[in-house]
Amino acid sequence: MIRWLVVIAVIFFAGAAASAPADKARGAKIYIQRCLMCHGEDGDGGGPGAKRLNPPPRDFTEALYKFKTTGTDEPVPNDDDILRMIRDGMPGTAMPGWKDILSEQDIIDLVLYLKIFAEIEEEKPEEQIDYGTEIASSPESIAAGDKLFHEGERCSECHGRDGRGDAVKRLKDDSGARTWPRNLTKPWTYRVSTQPRDIYRRITTGITGTQMPSFADPKSKKKLSIEERWQVANYVASLAASGQPVRAENTVIKAARIVGALPAKPGDAAWDGAERTTFFLLPQIIAKPRFFTPSNDTITARALYNDDEIAFLIEWDDRTKSIPGDADAAKIAEPDMGPDAVAVQLPIEPADGSEKPYFIWGDATHPVNLWKWQSGTTKAPETVEVMTARGLGNVDKRANGGVSATGIYDNGIWRVIMKRARATADAGKDLQFREGEFIPIAFSAWDGSNGENDRSHTLTTWYWLQLKPEAGAKPLLAGILTALILAGLLIWWARTAKARPESGA
Ligand code: HEC
Ligand code: HEC
């Protein structure tokens, strides 16, 4: 009996501790310490750190919570909705997750404090999202969702044919800030998650304060039934799974050897024989002028080689095809549009074990080769130039660097091929590509519509390139044979060991 009383008491006190009433004063204290710098003293999103952020920090005085699970026309979010965003943060934005720094009680106190900015601390939401019966993902439901996504350009109108957020439209949120429809193939940019249930919520309520509409709205011509919304959610989740995520352990581009000519087109099936490697692109914030507002975040590379040549296929998602001189392109671009561009950076000497050049344009003792492709304008075709750089201010253009390049833009993705002979006549000026060596490699990209040019661009740090020696049948067979012989020897050793008298006895 006493044991039961103890159990009940423990449950009671544990419960009481977890749900202590929210404390406004504590919330205020934590807010000033942790949130004010972005969200501002008055909660209006005007903190000292807010200027460079896109999307801007939320203005809490308007109660415009983007990611809520209350009904479409319901202005008040659930406490849990706010709590979840504070706890987990918002990927792809400056909003950090706080679960490692703040306790559950801290966050509960903050939720109350945030609601006071919009005077909704007393209000309880009346309407919740109707989930109906969830439809599990299947090839059929994904196909149905695909159709609804594109029907009358319901979603592709903004998110693009392949979901890369590249539909050519200039969008602004209610505060006048430029917004971009999400690139649905990049799971790391979803603010909440890529679970069909979270996507269903977004399709149902829309994203408050932005042009992402509600598709449950009975007044909308593009309205979707509950069943249809699950199907679209399953399709979108499948798009998210189709992206090329960065895997931290993949630091080497493995160039595959082929027999015969290297492919001249990005769509060539020969590329399927080369492994894709994806890297993060970071804004150039080290040298002045520093650049803080990138639009591209990853770049994917593959490489093939034969006896004489090496070719790279470089792919990156870019919402805008930037064509200086083109009136339609100018409509969605920032004022000073340049062409899109990409550069491959290689040391002139392979670093094998020794020091690598400085990762931005090399240095005086370790020069680099830069192969830079540019997409061209309405008047001039695409170009490729080869440069030797010994630091940012010290760049020589080469008259004929022997690199050829060509790019194709297709529904939100650039695919550029660059090709060169493995060996050149001038080993003092050009990297020579030898099998097996680990060669440092880095990339830079420029989104011309985002005002990127010169030093305002994104780049990767050094990674590696290796021309994988041919994995012919012979070495493989030899490997298997060695393994078999070793296994046989081990068995023989174990058997004879049993029969042997113990040594030293
Ligand atoms: C470094 C800047 C930064 C800091 C610090 C920061 N935030 Fe944010 N926060 C943002 C940005 C940016 C957004 C908007 C993201 C968007 O619109 O997609 C945001 C959005 C939010 C949202 C909106 C969620 C929704 O559904 O719309 C909440 C709630 C929030 N922040 C709470 C907090 C709290 C509480 C703290 C302090 C513990 C905090 N933030 C600290 C930058 C910050
Ligand atoms: C009029 C333009 C427009 C249309 C049409 C549109 N969206 Fe969006 N969508 C947006 C914008 C803008 C955002 C980004 C909002 C933000 O976070 O600032 C977005 C964001 C999203 C997100 C991101 C959710 C997250 O967690 O980050 C999903 C998923 C999404 N849309 C799905 C859809 C689907 C599915 C449809 C069609 C049923 C659709 N959208 C139609 C403009 C649109």
Side-chain angles (χ1 to χ4, degrees):
M1 180 66 189
I2 286 180
R3 210 170 61 200
W4 277 113
L5 279 179
V6 171
V7 169
I8 289 166
V10 165
I11 292 171
F12 177 77
F13 284 113
S19 60
D23 180 338
K24 187 167 82 182
R26 272 195 87 237
K29 219 174 123 208
I30 305 167
Y31 181 88
I32 291 167
Q33 202 188 352
R34 309 277 188 190
C35 322
L36 181 147
M37 65 191 107
C38 289
H39 291 284
E41 197 174 334
D42 306 322
D44 58 358
K51 283 186 201 74
R52 290 207 173 108
L53 304 182
N54 186 12
R58 187 74 65 255
D59 173 354
F60 299 122
T61 63
E62 299 278 343
L64 284 180
Y65 287 92
K66 285 186 180 177
F67 300 97
K68 58 193 181 67
T69 58
T70 53
T72 311
D73 295 325
E74 175 64 71
V76 189
N78 294 313
D79 285 2
D80 270 355
D81 298 337
I82 308 179
L83 193 137
R84 180 176 179 190
M85 301 315 285
I86 301 174
R87 189 187 59 204
D88 299 339
M90 300 168 76
T93 80
M95 171 66 191
W98 294 92
K99 60 172 169 286
D100 296 333
I101 296 170
L102 300 176
S103 70
E104 187 87 358
Q105 187 61 47
D106 292 343
I107 299 178
I108 290 171
D109 296 343
L110 276 168
V111 169
L112 171 66
Y113 189 67
L114 298 189
K115 285 165 65 181
I116 293 171
F117 284 125
E119 296 171 9
I120 51 168
E121 69 274 21
E122 302 290 334
E123 290 179 44
K124 289 274 164 282
E126 284 167 16
E127 203 196 320
Q128 298 288 330
I129 290 180
D130 181 358
Y131 294 94
T133 316
E134 178 164 353
I135 297 175
S137 181
S138 66
E140 295 74 41
S141 89
I142 290 174
D146 182 346
K147 199 160 159 253
L148 295 162
F149 188 95
H150 296 99
E151 182 186 81
E153 295 236 51
R154 183 181 274 110
C155 314
S156 45
E157 174 198 0
C158 291
H159 290 283
R161 189 197 73 187
D162 299 338
R164 292 203 182 87
D166 58 307
V168 178
K169 267 191 125 186
R170 202 182 178 92
L171 299 180
K172 283 194 173 153
D173 69 12
D174 290 4
S175 73
R178 180 96 193 252
T179 51
W180 293 97
R182 197 82 71 246
N183 180 337
L184 300 172
T185 69
K186 292 191 167 181
W188 60 92
T189 65
Y190 283 57
R191 305 297 187 247
V192 189
S193 88
T194 57
Q195 295 297 313
R197 197 173 176 82
D198 277 321
I199 299 170
Y200 176 93
R201 288 168 169 154
R202 301 293 82 80
I203 303 171
T204 303
T205 65
I207 299 182
T208 323
T210 79
Q211 270 156 319
M212 167 71 196
S214 157
F215 290 89
D217 183 352
K219 296 184 291 286
S220 164
K221 268 194 240 137
K222 294 181 170 183
K223 180 183 182 298
L224 294 166
S225 68
I226 288 180
E227 187 185 350
E228 289 170 329
R229 272 177 267 150
W230 280 114
Q231 288 164 335
V232 175
N234 288 334
Y235 171 66
V236 172
S238 79
L239 285 177
S242 74
Q244 297 291 327
V246 174
R247 300 193 198 289
E249 68 278 15
N250 288 1
T251 56
V252 184
I253 300 168
K254 294 179 191 125
R257 188 179 184 109
I258 59 170
V259 180
L262 296 178
K265 293 214 170 77
D268 200 305
W271 290 110
D272 296 342
E275 227 173 83
R276 283 191 176 90
T277 315
T278 301
F279 307 114
F280 278 122
L281 284 168
L282 304 166
Q284 192 290 106
I285 54 166
I286 294 172
K288 286 180 185 163
R290 300 181 220 281
F291 175 58
F292 291 98
T293 48
S295 60
N296 301 329
D297 62 356
T298 58
I299 191 157
T300 300
R302 280 183 266 185
L304 289 170
Y305 73 100
N306 60 19
D307 285 344
D308 308 316
E309 288 183 306
I310 181 159
F312 294 93
L313 172 55
I314 304 157
E315 298 169 285
W316 72 101
D317 286 11
D318 180 341
R319 290 195 174 86
T320 48
K321 183 177 183 186
S322 313
I323 318 158
D326 182 295
D328 285 335
K331 271 187 212 149
I332 51 155
E334 295 303 314
D336 42 358
M337 175 175 44
D340 290 324
V342 71
V344 176
Q345 176 178 290
L346 298 152
I348 291 179
E349 295 289 334
D352 250 3
S354 71
E355 220 177 305
K356 280 181 270 189
Y358 186 56
F359 80 105
I360 308 179
W361 274 211
D363 52 69
T365 42
H366 301 96
V368 295
N369 280 158
L370 288 161
W371 304 355
K372 185 174 180 186
W373 168 91
Q374 298 203 67
S375 61
T377 68
T378 42
K379 297 209 176 76
E382 60 181 358
T383 53
V384 60
E385 53 187 359
V386 175
M387 294 172 274
T388 300
R390 295 179 172 78
L392 265 171
N394 189 347
V395 182
D396 291 332
K397 283 189 189 161
R398 304 264 300 276
N400 177 12
V403 174
S404 63
T406 182
I408 292 177
Y409 185 82
D410 174 36
N411 284 287
I413 189 165
W414 269 115
R415 294 192 171 92
V416 173
I417 290 185
M418 292 203 209
K419 205 190 282 189
R420 206 203 75 182
R422 281 173 55 197
T424 66
D426 206 340
K429 283 190 177 162
D430 296 309
L431 175 85
Q432 311 295 306
F433 292 93
R434 286 180 284 263
E435 262 185 345
E437 276 174 13
F438 280 91
I439 302 166
I441 187 166
F443 300 90
S444 292
W446 289 259
D447 178 359
S449 300
N450 192 35
E452 297 178 26
N453 60 50
D454 196 18
R455 294 184 187 186
S456 300
H457 67 97
T458 51
L459 74 169
T460 73
T461 175
W462 284 118
Y463 291 96
W464 299 101
L465 166 74
Q466 190 197 24
L467 276 61
K468 257 187 359 183
E470 203 170 8
K474 266 191 238 151
L476 194 69
L477 244 181
I480 292 171
L481 268 179
T482 321
L484 280 177
I485 292 169
L486 265 178
L489 272 175
L490 270 176
I491 292 168
W492 171 81
W493 173 254
R495 287 212 179 126
T496 53
K498 261 189 217 150
R500 269 198 305 272
E502 288 204 18
S503 58

